[in-house]
């Protein structure tokens, strides 16, 4: 099977549209939107590559920004369209993050690459997606790229849930460095910060932020979901205060690399 076939099968049985709705999921959404809004101004154009079912695209369109969205999977596009409200300035097309053939150079003020790097398993494909995101962004524009981090999964899925030997037997860990390895049938590509840094360093960009999008939240999701509103707001304040501390980012399941096109 091709990578798209594995993704079709996975997302066909997974409710991606509600992933960011629980309190623990909202931490990632709130953090990401907070940083996106730092760089948006009226009249700016936004492109979301790998838009999924459109949580970010719809939120930004409803705030008045003109949003173009690209998504690979037909099922996600259908949900995206069903979630579009009358008059929303948003348009979605099917496309591949590695080859944005319908999009011209230097068009967008803000470009979001919040999903594709989760599912690209070769260095060549990762470089292509990043290069395309930079290509379609205006000089001085800002690109937001999301990654799934490896060590939180090794701790959570491997040790806490008792699957570490399964990961070893499947060859998903380098047994000297414990660097994770993934294939398309594993669905998610897992990264370490040095890998992310090496990808960015090849681009004509300057880094602005490297953010723990959900911080320690996924390690304590039941606790976060059970918080009363006052405690949850306090937790959000704490998280947003520490989310750029580089001694903390490696434990976040999701990170956000933010950089400006030169």
């Amino acid at each position: 099977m091709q990578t798209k076939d594995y993704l079709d099968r996975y997302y066909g049985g997974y409710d991606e549209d509600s992933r960011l709705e629980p309190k623990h999921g909202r931490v990632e959404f709130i953090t990401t939107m907070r940083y996106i809004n730092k760089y948006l101004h009226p009249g700016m154009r936004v492109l979301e590559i790998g838009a999924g079912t459109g949580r970010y695209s719809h939120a930004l369109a409803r705030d008045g920004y003109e949003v173009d969205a690209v998504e690979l999977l037909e099922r996600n596009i259908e949900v995206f369209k069903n979630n579009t409200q009358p008059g929303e300035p948003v348009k979605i097309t099917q496309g591949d993050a590695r080859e944005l053939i319908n999009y011209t150079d230097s068009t967008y003020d803000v470009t979001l690459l919040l999903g594709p790097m989760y599912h690209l398993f070769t260095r060549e494909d990762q470089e292509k997606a990043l290069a395309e995101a930079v290509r379609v962004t205006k000089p001085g524009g800002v690109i937001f790229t999301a990654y799934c981090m490896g060590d939180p999964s090794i701790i959570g899925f491997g040790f806490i849930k008792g699957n570490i030997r399964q990961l070893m037997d499947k060859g998903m860990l380098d047994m000297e460095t414990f660097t994770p390895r993934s294939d398309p049938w594993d669905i998610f590509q897992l990264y370490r910060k040095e890998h992310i840094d090496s990808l960015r360093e090849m681009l004509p960009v300057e880094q602005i932020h490297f953010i723990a999008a959900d911080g320690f939240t996924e390690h304590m999701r039941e606790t976060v979901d059970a918080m009363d509103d006052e405690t949850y707001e306090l937790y959000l304040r704490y998280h947003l205060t520490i989310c750029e501390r580089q001694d903390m980012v490696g434990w976040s399941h999701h990170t956000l690399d933010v950089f400006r096109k030169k």
Side-chain angles (χ1 to χ4, degrees), residues 66-77:
E66 182 181 349
V67 180
D68 290 333
V70 183
E71 170 56 30
L72 180 65
L73 304 182
E74 292 88 348
R75 179 187 179 277
N76 284 343
I77 293 172

Side-chain angles (χ1 to χ4, degrees), residues 2-262:
Q2 300 295 316
T3 299
K4 183 176 181 295
D5 298 320
Y6 291 109
L7 294 177
D8 276 326
R9 186 168 66 181
Y10 176 80
Y11 284 106
Y14 178 74
D15 186 6
E16 172 66 17
D17 196 41
S18 64
R19 182 178 73 86
L20 300 175
E21 289 182 1
K23 284 180 175 176
H24 72 268
R26 272 183 269 155
V27 174
E28 178 188 346
F29 179 77
I30 290 167
T31 304
T32 303
M33 287 295 294
R34 182 176 188 259
Y35 279 89
I36 292 171
N37 282 319
K38 284 178 180 283
Y39 298 96
L40 278 175
H41 303 288
M44 283 187 167
R45 294 188 65 188
V46 178
L47 175 67
E48 183 174 13
I49 306 165
T53 58
R55 280 298 295 272
Y56 291 99
S57 287
H58 290 309
L60 293 169
R62 289 165 193 170
D63 283 341
Y65 296 101
E66 182 181 349
V67 180
D68 290 333
V70 183
E71 170 56 30
L72 180 65
L73 304 182
E74 292 88 348
R75 179 187 179 277
N76 284 343
I77 293 172
E78 181 181 351
V79 177
F80 186 109
K81 290 180 177 178
N82 289 338
N83 288 341
T84 304
Q85 296 178 354
E88 263 188 57
V90 64
K91 178 176 64 178
I92 188 166
T93 58
Q94 186 174 22
D96 190 317
R98 298 167 294 181
E99 191 175 7
L100 300 173
I101 57 176
N102 296 318
Y103 296 86
T104 56
D105 296 359
S106 303
T107 300
Y108 296 94
D109 300 282
V110 170
T111 299
L112 310 179
L113 193 71
L114 302 180
M117 303 304 285
Y118 295 178
H119 307 303
L120 296 175
F121 299 91
T122 68
R123 176 82 181 201
E124 179 184 6
D125 284 345
Q126 293 160 7
E127 289 178 356
K128 284 181 178 179
L130 286 166
E132 282 290 84
V134 173
R135 178 183 66 80
V136 299
T137 305
K138 296 177 182 179
V142 180
I143 298 102
F144 293 78
T145 307
Y147 294 91
C148 293
M149 303 301 281
D151 290 292
S153 293
I154 294 171
I155 292 293
F157 183 79
F159 286 106
I160 295 176
K161 293 187 177 180
N163 298 303
I164 191 65
R165 298 197 181 278
Q166 176 187 337
L167 297 178
M168 294 165 58
D169 292 343
K170 290 175 66 177
M172 294 181 70
L173 294 176
D174 180 309
M175 291 315 301
E176 289 193 10
T177 65
F178 284 87
T179 302
R181 300 168 174 164
S182 300
D183 290 297
W185 50 86
D186 300 311
I187 305 300
F188 292 100
Q189 172 69 10
L190 303 176
Y191 297 80
R192 280 181 168 167
K193 188 174 183 297
E194 56 265 30
H195 185 186
I196 298 168
D197 289 341
S198 71
L199 287 167
R200 184 194 336 98
E201 287 165 0
M202 301 183 64
L203 302 168
V205 301
E206 56 181 355
Q207 188 184 43
I208 308 171
H209 307 283
F210 193 81
I211 303 155
D214 46 22
F216 208 73
T217 305
E218 288 288 333
H219 300 283
M220 48 181 279
R221 59 164 64 190
E222 293 84 3
T223 300
V224 174
D225 287 343
M227 289 176 178
D228 59 59
D229 290 346
E230 184 177 357
T231 306
Y232 183 66
E233 289 301 318
L234 187 62
Y235 176 72
L236 284 174
R237 284 175 51 200
Y238 168 73
H239 164 73
L240 292 169
T241 299
I242 67 167
C243 67
E244 285 196 66
R245 273 179 48 182
Q246 296 307 288
D247 60 331
M248 304 293 287
V249 294
W251 296 111
S252 183
H253 277 73
H254 302 90
T255 56
L256 192 62
D257 195 22
V258 186
F259 43 87
R260 190 187 308 275
K261 182 176 178 178
K262 293 181 180 178

